[in-house]
Amino acid sequence: MTQKNKYPVKMLPYLKETVWGGSKLEKYYGKERHDLSNIAESWELSAIKGMESYSYDKKSFDEIFKEFNSFADCPVLIKFIDSESDLSIQVHPSEKDGNALPKNECWYILSADKDSKIAYGFKSSVAKNDIDESISNGTVCNVLNYVNVKPGDFFYVPAGLVHAIGKGITLLEIQQSSDTTYRIFDYNRTDKNGRPRELHIEKAKSAIKHFSSKEINDLCFSRPDDQDGILCACEYFSVFKITSEKNLSKAISNKNSSLTFLTDGSFTLDGRSFEGYAGDTFYIPPGDGKTDLIISAEEAVLTVF
């Protein structure tokens, strides 16, 4: 570790196109599509090899992270997602399986078309045997629990919970640093080369956890009036919603953090001021416990890890 200073690093994202991606990240959050057909995902803070975000001086986030931390790997991945059509029905593992890493995540809904919804676990009335059969025969959509969403909603998505983002939704996703996804059903879609997209039925069955309706209700919540702005505090990360102006010095003390602006705004760190535009993400290295962080924005999200 060769720590230099703790001032923020503005990141350049890694962009992904998919069969379900849309145009809202380009239109509303300043992402440049270049030669991509769409922008489905914008990986704002990523240390995953081959899919890393970068600083404006072309240094990879993995390299930046190691300058300020004695442990090897960044534990989080932060991304924007824009779904012009439904994402696959999927699940993430809760334990390491070979090269497959566990993945707990959360979603903060930024925009949603009328009647947009997510798949979030299974209907409480459906028996486990019926669930297993539906996965095997491609009728899993019939047994899923669907939830209508609106801007400002927040969902924690634990590893093992079957889920899917529906069409017409733009969201910010904070997750463990893992690219492991087991697809259960993908509407018989093909990739850009005309080949069926790969499913991972057996691995998915092994990864699935069955949550009660009460457990599912406890995971899904929105706190627009929470004075502290806390959306999530789990063992992997804490997520804060910022509206107007907040001093979050205590939250980031001696910790890594990331600040994503959802509207234009600014922040002050140790007396230095920085401007941010909608869609900008800054990595803030761990400080010495005396860091003064004041964030001013109509809407922004701070992730501490």
Side-chain angles (χ1 to χ4, degrees):
M1 180 175 65
T2 57
Q3 185 165 346
K4 297 175 182 178
N5 62 57
K6 61 177 180 296
Y7 291 108
V9 182
K10 187 176 179 179
M11 305 305 302
L12 285 167
Y14 171 79
L15 303 178
K16 291 184 68 175
E17 65 175 91
T18 71
V19 297
W20 47 261
S23 60
K24 292 177 184 174
L25 299 184
E26 183 178 23
K27 184 175 181 180
Y28 298 112
Y29 295 101
K31 309 306 173 184
E32 297 184 21
R33 183 162 51 92
H34 300 298
D35 58 346
L36 300 178
S37 62
N38 62 58
I39 304 176
E41 300 185 8
S42 178
W43 292 26
E44 300 295 302
L45 202 74
S46 169
I48 293 181
K49 189 174 181 180
M51 295 177 283
E52 294 166 298
S53 52
Y54 281 79
S55 64
Y56 275 70
D57 59 0
K58 306 302 182 184
K59 187 179 292 185
S60 74
F61 177 59
D62 182 57
E63 184 181 357
I64 294 167
F65 187 79
K66 288 176 179 176
E67 288 183 5
F68 298 97
N69 295 275
S70 57
F71 49 98
D73 300 314
C74 178
V76 302
L77 169 62
I78 299 173
K79 63 175 76 166
F80 286 100
I81 292 177
D82 177 34
S83 61
E84 190 168 275
S85 58
D86 295 332
L87 274 67
S88 62
I89 310 301
Q90 57 190 246
V91 69
H92 308 303
S94 58
E95 297 179 357
K96 190 175 185 297
D97 180 16
N99 292 324
L101 298 176
K103 183 175 172 182
N104 291 269
E105 64 190 28
C106 60
W107 302 334
Y108 178 54
I109 307 297
L110 305 179
S111 68
D113 293 347
K114 184 180 179 181
D115 299 327
S116 288
K117 60 188 67 178
I118 61 169
Y120 198 66
F122 296 107
K123 296 176 182 176
S124 58
S125 59
V126 181
K128 183 179 181 303
N129 288 344
D130 293 332
I131 291 171
D132 292 342
E133 183 179 350
S134 74
I135 291 172
S136 297
N137 64 25
T139 61
V140 68
C141 293
N142 296 336
V143 297
L144 292 172
N145 172 53
Y146 287 97
V147 179
N148 289 93
V149 300
K150 63 184 184 304
D153 285 348
F154 182 84
F155 300 85
Y156 186 74
V157 186
L161 179 74
V162 173
H163 62 274
I165 299 168
K167 66 180 180 180
I169 297 172
T170 305
L171 58 81
L172 185 68
E173 178 175 282
I174 296 99
Q175 58 164 90
Q176 286 180 276
S177 184
S178 166
D179 193 33
T180 304
T181 295
Y182 297 147
R183 288 197 200 105
I184 297 169
F185 181 68
D186 196 42
Y187 316 100
N188 303 313
R189 286 186 293 209
T190 57
D191 62 21
K192 61 183 178 181
N193 298 312
R195 296 173 298 200
R197 298 182 82 206
E198 183 181 6
L199 301 181
H200 316 92
I201 300 299
E202 295 308 315
K203 288 185 176 181
K205 284 183 176 180
S206 297
I208 289 172
K209 293 183 178 180
H210 296 273
F211 294 81
S212 68
S213 57
K214 182 182 184 305
E215 288 173 321
I216 287 176
N217 288 334
D218 288 344
L219 292 169
C220 161
F221 57 91
S222 176
R223 293 180 175 175
D225 299 321
D226 190 326
Q227 294 300 308
D228 294 326
I230 300 172
L231 292 173
C232 173
C234 65
E235 61 182 296
Y236 311 107
F237 40 72
S238 296
V239 182
F240 298 81
K241 177 181 178 179
I242 295 97
T243 56
S244 185
E245 182 174 289
K246 280 190 173 66
N247 187 334
L248 285 158
S249 306
K250 292 181 180 179
I252 68 166
S253 181
N254 293 312
K255 296 179 181 178
N256 290 282
S257 58
S258 171
L259 177 60
T260 300
F261 284 94
L262 307 179
T263 60
D264 296 352
S266 63
F267 66 104
T268 302
L269 182 67
D270 277 355
R272 293 183 59 182
S273 296
F274 303 87
E275 298 294 322
Y277 297 96
D280 284 351
T281 293
F282 294 81
Y283 166 60
I284 304 175
D288 60 4
K290 298 178 181 178
T291 301
D292 181 28
L293 175 66
I294 301 173
I295 304 165
S296 179
E298 185 179 332
E299 192 171 16
V301 170
L302 178 75
T303 303
V304 181
F305 52 96

